[in-house]
Amino acid sequence: MTQAVHNLPVRGDPILRVVPRPADINANGHIFGGWVLAQMDIAGGIVAGRIAEGPCATVAIEKMEFIAPILLRDIISVYASLERRGRTSMAIRIEVVATRDRGEQEVKVTEGLFTFVALDEQHRPRPLPSTD
Ligand SMILES: CC(C)(COP(=O)(O)OP(=O)(O)OC[C@H]1O[C@@H](n2cnc3c(N)ncnc32)[C@H](O)[C@@H]1OP(=O)(O)O)[C@@H](O)C(=O)NCCC(=O)NCCS
């Protein structure tokens, strides 16, 4: 039976599901922070690209919290959703949940708020499409 996860948002399907490899382990036997940050950036970029209807760049990470370690054999689910919309920018909240023990346990491992900017063909900020 899957245990309840505290503070786990229900945001529909994860944007990514991925499994870390042995090469992603640091000296503590946990997964490198940079590895999970990259997965978050990829998932956030997918959501930003859908909203912007085109290319986007990561301009800032407003918040990044490593809550619990990721272990080898965890299955990582990355959830991402729009938190704030600007003229050309989007703040995307990203949360990562590790499923372990063959699905018996779920642990929220990281959370972050990433800012993406929609880009035009000159790689300059482009206004987001209207929501009307
Ligand atoms: C993204 C980039 C084109 C923005 O250029 P810029 O000259 O800073 O653009 P602006 O000052 O007009 O800001 C554009 C938007 O980004 C927001 N922004 C810029 N810097 C920001 C920061 N540090 N934190 C949060 N938002 C920021 C602005 O508030 C603005 O939002 P709005 O239009 O919704 O009001 C430029 O910074 C860039 O190319 N950065 C490198 C991107 C990159 O290589 N990322 C890593 C790989 S994807």
Side-chain angles (χ1 to χ4, degrees):
M1 168 97 85
T2 301
Q3 292 177 354
V5 180
H6 296 296
N7 301 321
L8 176 62
V10 179
R11 298 180 190 278
D13 294 334
I15 305 301
L16 291 182
R17 273 217 174 97
V18 60
V19 177
R21 313 303 304 161
D24 304 317
I25 294 178
N26 66 20
N28 300 325
H30 302 150
I31 301 304
F32 279 111
W35 180 87
V36 65
L37 202 143
Q39 309 309 315
M40 295 169 81
D41 195 31
I42 291 166
I46 290 169
V47 171
R50 288 177 186 164
I51 295 164
E53 299 176 7
C56 295
T58 315
V59 71
I61 298 176
E62 289 178 41
K63 181 191 158 199
M64 178 73 205
E65 193 181 353
F66 294 95
I67 300 161
I70 297 175
L71 311 177
L72 198 60
R73 290 187 288 277
D74 284 353
I75 299 170
I76 301 307
S77 300
V78 188
Y79 297 83
S81 62
L82 180 68
E83 171 141 324
R84 200 172 60 240
R85 185 188 163 98
R87 193 181 77 84
T88 66
S89 70
M90 297 150 279
I92 308 283
R93 180 164 298 281
I94 305 167
E95 299 186 358
V96 179
V97 174
T99 303
R100 58 185 60 144
D101 300 334
R102 297 177 183 80
E104 290 292 312
Q105 208 188 346
E106 287 193 335
V107 179
K108 180 164 144 180
V109 288
T110 67
E111 179 172 358
L113 189 61
F114 288 43
T115 305
F116 294 86
V117 175
L119 297 180
D120 66 16
E121 287 172 358
Q122 282 70 49
H123 306 286
R124 293 300 306 155
R126 166 176 62 85
L128 296 174
S130 146
T131 51
D132 299 338

